[in-house]
Amino acid sequence: MSIAFKVNGQAVRFDGLQDTPLLWVLRDELGLTGTKYGCGISQCGACTVHVDGRAQRSCALPVSQIAGRAVVTIEGLAEGDALHPVQQAWIEGDVPQCGYCQAGQIMAAVEFLERYPEPSDDDIDANLSNLCRCGTYPRIRKAVRRAARQLQRSRS
Amino acid sequence: MSLAERVNVNRRRILIAGVSATGGLICGLPALAAGPDAANVERQLGHFIEIAGDGRIIIGSNQPEIGQGVSTALPMLIAEELDVDWSRVTVRQMPLGIMKTADGFTWKYGGQGVGGSTGLTGNFDYMRQVGAKARRLLIRAAAQRQDLPEDQCSTRSGVVVCGPMGTTVPYEELITDAAALGPIEDDVPLKQAKDYRIVGKAQTGVGVRDIVTGQARYGIDTREPNMRYAVIARSPYLNGTPQTVDDTGARQVPGVLDVFEIQGPKPDEPYAILASGVAVVATSTWAAIKGREALKIEWNKGPNANDSSAAFWRDNEEMLRGKGQVVLDDGDFDTALASAETVVEARYRIPFVNHAPLEPQNCYAHVTEDRCHIIAPTQMPSGASRSAHAVTGIPREHISVDITRVGGGFGRRLTNDYVAEATMISKHTGWPIKLQWTREDDVKHDFYRPAGLHHLRAGVDRQGRVVAWTQRLASASKYFRRPNVPDDELWTAELYPDDFPRRMVENLRLEYFNHRIGVPRGSWRAPAHTANAFVVQSFVDEIAHATGQSPLELRIALLGDERELDYSNHGGPTFNPGRLTRLLRFVAKEIGYERSRPAGRGVGLATHFTFGGYAAHAIEVSVADGGELTIERIVAAIDCGFAVNPSAVHAQLEGGTVDGLSTALGLEITVKDGQIVQSNFHDYPLMRLAQVPAAFETHILPYGDQPTGVGEMGIPSAAPALTNAIFAATGKRIRTLPIAQQLSA
């Protein structure tokens, strides 16, 4: 049985094992390697994508549950050369060290800021739980605030 | 290879006929990178610099990038001396470069390998010379073209300026002429620091745009034609082996192609790979994982089936009752202790910990009859080449190693065991193979940071001076099972004799006992410094409190003023304790150390010298009635000499602090019935953003004009500052790591 869904606006079909996590379909089948594998049990968030606009950890999400849905990965976040303000804030804040977790961090932050356009420190603490082994948390926090300000500016 | 040998790779200078190891030209110039750019050979100066027709400068980075920022800092040095605008520079990762010589192999692109925080220090002069010599060749080309003497030419931002008219010629118009000139052998004069336009200023990390757009390629992202995927079911028993393997179920999983045994080392052999097991090869990662799940394996539990953490700690206590190997004996410890007014004593337990890089181990290997191609996230690409050679017998000059971006090193990728595994599987199947480790594989199979039981005693005289000091350590030595390390040298991995407080306490004894538990051990970030700084900085605090002294003033009294002491371990040749004093005073002042805090709130201090760099932490915590710990504020300071890229230095101090705190808060690897207990992040809980205070300041205190490393310096003083703060807040002394639930008890 074929599972049809959309990735970054493109229609795709997957014919393999139905319990394959979305993560491995993205990475191995579609060659979209921006979404990363860190743990496989939804603990670290390196695999965060958007499914119908909601941030989801794709490592334990069977592709069968994605039928008919729209997935956005880190590769689909920018519009051509125009980076998303969160991506821009990450560059301006020189956030990444090894960088492996950052695609997931960004996808989580983008959706978080859609829900919390003016986040407090407590909001950030309660909602951004992706792991960073290199410890870039202080810069992540600053970049989230910077992106929030930028998004506010573009709204007004 | 010992750590000392490894970190010296950057300092070798070997001149082979016609080739300069300092970036000079050779005949048949190698491409800066394989592929289409091989056509641009005539636009390349040496191994590191290419100037495109549109003026873009492509600079090669020869070191593995593990997040420490080396692929930014080293190109910055080249660009500075080359005299180009940083905004025009693109950096390209170089592969392993080795060349066959009469009696072995030598480096083509200079020493390549990162560990021990040496990437920058080992290349500071080398890369500046690369840039300066290239600039000299461009000047020479311009001067020759205009028939002017060289000394009438200079440069300005990518342009040569010549003669009384100030005629300018951009580099991109000179490059082919310059590339045709002979190499410059002798060193050329370098810029003064005051003239730096790029170096010494905060620069954004190279590759950040690729990272935030999902374009950065890590080892795990390797996709090559015809590639199959492999995972290995490794023995869960330390030194165990497969006894019976039923692979019927595995072979029925759609996509599974092959299943076969992998032979690991015997219990007394060095670790070419970590464990014996069964490989599953498939058409996708998921199919390989499912195939492995369907294996039915009975394990031969091996000689370590009864190993356990409980037994380990009991054995260590037992050993400490006896006499160990005295490895250092300054002055007359026994007499000094006997004459002391007060004796302070404590024991500390430091657990095994896992490296846990967020990108789990992986490697691409393609073995053919006479060639081998490796693509790996490694800290030691030459070791990768050696591992592949050991498995295949293919001559090393026919083994190519491409270095990907590394999703965290931390010392895990110093060892190339996963390269050996991938090579074995490719050799066995004849296919190109990407071997993938899962998180469970990584947690359960590692060269763990050694665990140990530390027993400290000190004698303090009536004036509060520490007159006698002993540290007795029973640990699982990192050097156990390394080739060519005799038993009486196992201690050298665990204790660095010239660390504080040697020569600051006159009568000092270090004693060692090795434990042979079957857990593999290796270099975790800042190796023995993580354990020893915790123990020593906690104990100094205990001495201060026991004798009614200020923990700050006692440290300052011990450390003293600036002077160079001998330091024989990695990070020497000297150690200047006064530089720690300076940092300690600074962080103490910033956090307002002298100000009293209400009950349940306290400040702790610690400072440590790590591999040539200096750092200090002041941490403020609050502990609620129920034992809930909140880190309220962190002030961290580093003295890394001259900061080449201040943004990266701050980042390493932030990240190192989080690493030290994360490990102290909740991390330990335990053993039961000959098996590692933990398996993933649910039972190996790395610190999360919510635990890191927003009030977290990092400071660089510059010193002189030579850089030290920064990758490991931020860790060792973080954990003891935390537990010293907990004591100040609660009167509860943490002597066992991790802290975990001890405060709720």
Side-chain angles (χ1 to χ4, degrees):
Chain A
M1 196 186 89
S2 202
I3 298 170
F5 54 104
K6 278 195 161 162
V7 179
N8 298 333
Q10 300 254 18
V12 302
R13 305 188 76 84
F14 178 68
D15 297 313
L17 296 169
Q18 303 257 303
D19 66 354
T20 306
L22 174 61
L23 172 67
W24 295 114
V25 174
L26 293 170
R27 292 186 53 84
D28 287 353
E29 304 302 317
L30 300 175
L32 293 168
T33 56
T35 308
K36 304 302 188 201
Y37 167 78
C39 71
I41 61 168
S42 303
Q43 277 281 326
C44 77
C47 63
T48 304
V49 297
H50 296 168
V51 179
D52 288 345
R54 281 189 58 219
Q56 300 272 15
R57 292 181 178 176
S58 61
C59 66
L61 187 51
V63 69
S64 55
Q65 291 184 24
I66 307 297
R69 300 196 185 283
V71 176
V72 177
T73 72
I74 186 72
E75 291 94 339
L77 194 60
E79 292 185 13
D81 277 340
L83 297 180
H84 189 286
V86 170
Q87 289 170 308
Q88 194 56 43
W90 248 243
I91 294 175
E92 284 162 21
D94 199 18
V95 175
Q97 288 182 28
C98 88
Y100 190 76
C101 76
Q102 302 293 350
Q105 302 279 3
I106 288 167
M107 297 308 283
V110 166
E111 194 247 26
F112 164 70
L113 285 170
E114 282 164 11
R115 286 184 288 120
Y116 294 83
E118 288 183 67
S120 64
D121 271 340
D122 285 346
D123 293 331
I124 293 174
D125 285 358
N127 287 276
L128 290 182
S129 62
N130 284 29
L131 288 179
C132 172
R133 176 67 180 86
C134 296
T136 66
Y137 300 127
R139 293 195 184 191
I140 289 174
R141 212 189 243 117
K142 289 194 183 106
V144 167
R145 295 195 153 293
R146 181 188 225 123
R149 283 195 303 273
Q150 183 53 43
L151 285 161
Q152 285 282 73
R153 255 180 251 128
S154 21
R155 262 183 232 114
S156 53
Chain B
M1 198 191 210
S2 70
L3 180 64
E5 286 171 278
R6 268 197 221 108
V7 301
N8 278 324
V9 297
N10 292 322
R11 300 191 184 101
R12 285 190 214 146
R13 297 283 180 264
I14 299 169
L15 205 66
I16 307 295
V19 178
S20 162
T22 53
L25 297 167
I26 58 168
C27 303
L29 200 67
L32 197 54
D37 299 296
N40 291 339
V41 154
E42 74 279 4
R43 302 193 71 88
Q44 291 172 7
L45 279 175
H47 305 292
F48 293 92
I49 299 168
E50 181 180 318
I51 303 182
D54 59 5
R56 262 183 321 126
I57 317 286
I58 298 128
I59 295 182
S61 172
N62 66 347
Q63 302 301 329
E65 175 60 63
I66 61 174
Q68 84 283 51
V70 75
S71 66
T72 307
L74 298 189
M76 281 169 64
L77 297 173
I78 293 176
E80 182 72 69
E81 294 291 343
L82 180 59
D83 199 2
V84 294
D85 287 338
W86 183 242
S87 59
R88 288 180 28 194
V89 170
T90 307
V91 175
R92 189 179 296 151
Q93 179 66 53
M94 296 164 80
L96 173 67
I98 56 172
M99 297 181 297
K100 201 163 159 58
T101 65
D103 51 3
F105 285 87
T106 190
W107 301 104
K108 201 193 286 189
Y109 307 137
Q112 294 175 279
V114 293
S117 300
T118 55
L120 179 56
T121 53
N123 286 287
F124 185 55
D125 291 339
Y126 182 29
M127 294 303 168
R128 288 185 299 158
Q129 283 295 334
V130 164
K133 287 182 180 181
R135 173 178 171 267
R136 178 67 24 212
L137 288 172
L138 289 158
I139 287 175
R140 187 161 297 165
Q144 282 180 10
R145 184 188 284 199
Q146 293 171 70
D147 204 19
L148 285 169
E150 269 178 51
D151 62 13
Q152 282 195 31
C153 298
S154 66
T155 61
R156 188 183 66 229
S157 294
V159 150
V160 181
V161 185
C162 281
M165 305 299 289
T167 320
T168 60
V169 190
Y171 285 1
E172 56 268 30
E173 286 178 28
L174 295 163
I175 179 67
T176 47
D177 289 348
L181 295 172
I184 296 177
E185 295 305 337
D186 294 333
D187 281 355
V188 299
L190 298 171
K191 274 186 174 181
Q192 307 242 334
K194 65 175 171 58
D195 299 322
Y196 284 156
R197 300 190 308 132
I198 301 169
V199 170
K201 298 169 184 9
Q203 305 294 349
T204 307
V206 158
V208 168
R209 197 191 170 93
D210 283 346
I211 291 168
V212 305
T213 54
Q215 301 306 310
R217 293 286 173 260
Y218 298 82
I220 195 176
D221 302 323
T222 302
R223 289 167 65 81
E224 290 286 307
N226 249 2
M227 185 177 86
R228 270 74 159 181
Y229 300 77
V231 298
I232 298 175
R234 293 176 191 79
S235 167
Y237 294 96
L238 300 165
N239 294 312
T241 53
Q243 188 155 292
T244 66
V245 181
D246 176 0
D247 64 7
T248 359
R251 288 182 183 277
Q252 281 163 11
V253 171
V256 169
L257 300 169
D258 202 358
V259 181
F260 52 92
E261 281 187 41
I262 297 280
Q263 188 154 49
K266 295 200 185 49
D268 55 350
E269 287 175 351
Y271 290 103
I273 64 175
L274 272 168
S276 298
V278 178
V280 177
V281 184
T283 53
S284 69
T285 313
W286 184 245
I289 290 172
K290 286 204 76 169
R292 181 172 72 174
E293 264 165 40
L295 285 171
K296 290 189 175 56
I297 306 177
E298 271 173 34
W299 297 97
N300 180 347
K301 294 184 184 180
N304 297 88
N306 293 322
D307 280 8
S308 73
S309 292
F312 175 74
W313 295 117
R314 263 196 322 266
D315 293 344
N316 287 333
E317 295 276 2
E318 182 62 41
M319 282 199 281
L320 285 174
R321 281 193 259 281
K323 274 189 100 71
Q325 181 190 2
V326 175
V327 304
L328 188 68
D329 212 0
D330 286 348
D332 185 344
F333 171 79
D334 296 309
T335 306
L337 190 77
S339 71
E341 169 82 3
T342 315
V343 173
V344 185
E345 185 165 4
R347 286 173 187 234
Y348 302 89
R349 263 166 62 150
I350 306 289
F352 290 108
V353 291
N354 174 233
H355 290 86
L358 203 63
E359 178 193 16
Q361 272 48 264
N362 61 82
C363 179
Y364 170 87
H366 186 197
V367 178
T368 59
E369 193 174 312
D370 56 358
R371 291 274 188 277
C372 179
H373 183 203
I374 301 289
I375 304 174
T378 176
Q379 289 176 242
M380 288 289 161
S382 185
S385 159
R386 267 185 262 115
S387 286
H389 169 71
V391 168
T392 62
I394 290 170
R396 289 187 67 202
E397 61 268 31
H398 294 151
I399 298 175
S400 60
V401 178
D402 284 310
I403 308 163
T404 65
R405 199 169 173 109
V406 184
F410 309 110
R412 176 59 181 95
R413 326 267 196 185
L414 290 169
T415 327
N416 286 285
D417 54 301
Y418 45 94
V419 175
E421 288 176 336
T423 312
M424 285 174 181
I425 296 171
S426 181
K427 181 177 174 208
H428 180 99
T429 60
W431 294 322
I433 292 288
K434 183 163 74 181
L435 169 70
Q436 185 60 48
W437 286 45
T438 61
R439 176 59 49 194
E440 288 81 5
D441 296 339
D442 184 270
V443 176
K444 287 189 174 298
H445 300 277
D446 189 8
F447 295 95
Y448 301 93
R449 193 273 307 271
L453 181 60
H454 299 247
H455 174 214
L456 275 79
R457 273 201 306 165
V460 186
D461 70 12
R462 207 162 292 156
Q463 284 77 41
R465 284 185 302 244
V466 181
V467 297
W469 174 292
T470 184
Q471 179 179 2
R472 309 173 67 235
L473 168 58
S475 80
S477 168
K478 189 179 81 171
Y479 282 162
F480 180 61
R481 232 169 123 170
R482 290 268 183 102
N484 308 321
V485 182
D487 278 359
D488 64 1
E489 279 175 31
L490 292 172
W491 71 270
T492 60
E494 302 299 291
L495 292 165
Y496 306 138
D498 294 331
D499 272 352
F500 170 88
R502 190 181 188 198
R503 299 188 187 91
M504 290 161 255
V505 175
E506 215 179 287
N507 307 292
L508 183 135
R509 177 182 293 156
L510 300 179
E511 197 176 332
Y512 186 70
F513 309 75
N514 175 58
H515 196 294
R516 304 173 76 87
I517 186 172
V519 173
R521 316 94 183 271
S523 293
W524 200 87
R525 196 178 180 190
H529 287 295
T530 57
N532 290 321
F534 177 76
V535 161
V536 168
Q537 290 293 307
S538 297
F539 192 56
V540 166
D541 226 58
E542 297 211 47
I543 293 172
H545 288 290
T547 56
Q549 303 184 69
S550 150
L552 171 62
E553 295 306 324
L554 176 59
R555 279 179 177 79
I556 292 173
L558 283 164
L559 288 167
D561 295 324
E562 288 198 33
R563 64 211 181 282
E564 302 290 342
L565 303 179
D566 285 340
Y567 193 86
S568 58
N569 290 107
H570 175 53
T574 61
F575 159 39
N576 183 342
R579 288 167 77 170
L580 292 180
T581 308
R582 182 174 80 126
L583 292 172
L584 203 56
R585 284 192 199 280
F586 179 87
V587 299
K589 180 153 176 282
E590 285 296 307
I591 208 159
Y593 185 71
E594 306 297 347
R595 195 172 18 100
S596 72
R597 266 76 173 177
R601 208 159 161 125
V603 182
L605 303 171
T607 186
H608 196 70
F609 171 71
T610 306
F611 294 159
Y614 301 80
H617 285 86
I619 297 182
E620 181 160 352
V621 305
S622 63
V623 183
D625 286 337
E628 190 189 276
L629 170 69
T630 304
I631 303 173
E632 299 284 351
R633 186 178 172 204
I634 302 168
V635 177
I638 189 168
D639 167 358
C640 62
F642 169 70
V644 168
N645 182 359
S647 184
V649 174
H650 281 289
Q652 289 307 300
L653 185 53
E654 286 161 15
T657 301
V658 172
D659 202 349
L661 296 178
S662 175
T663 309
L665 282 170
L667 301 183
E668 70 175 328
I669 291 292
T670 57
V671 184
K672 195 168 188 305
D673 300 329
Q675 301 164 80
I676 300 293
V677 170
Q678 289 72 24
S679 64
N680 206 312
F681 292 138
H682 64 291
D683 57 8
Y684 194 75
L686 302 185
M687 196 173 184
R688 293 183 196 263
L689 184 147
Q691 297 166 279
V692 178
F696 183 170
E697 303 121 49
T698 55
H699 302 268
I700 299 174
L701 271 62
Y703 191 98
D705 59 6
Q706 294 295 309
T708 76
V710 294
E712 292 163 289
M713 288 60 179
I715 303 181
S717 46
L722 176 67
T723 54
N724 290 340
I726 290 171
F727 180 81
T730 64
K732 185 157 182 157
R733 172 60 62 181
I734 300 286
R735 296 198 185 99
T736 294
L737 291 181
I739 297 166
Q741 303 310 314
Q742 290 178 71
L743 294 176
S744 328

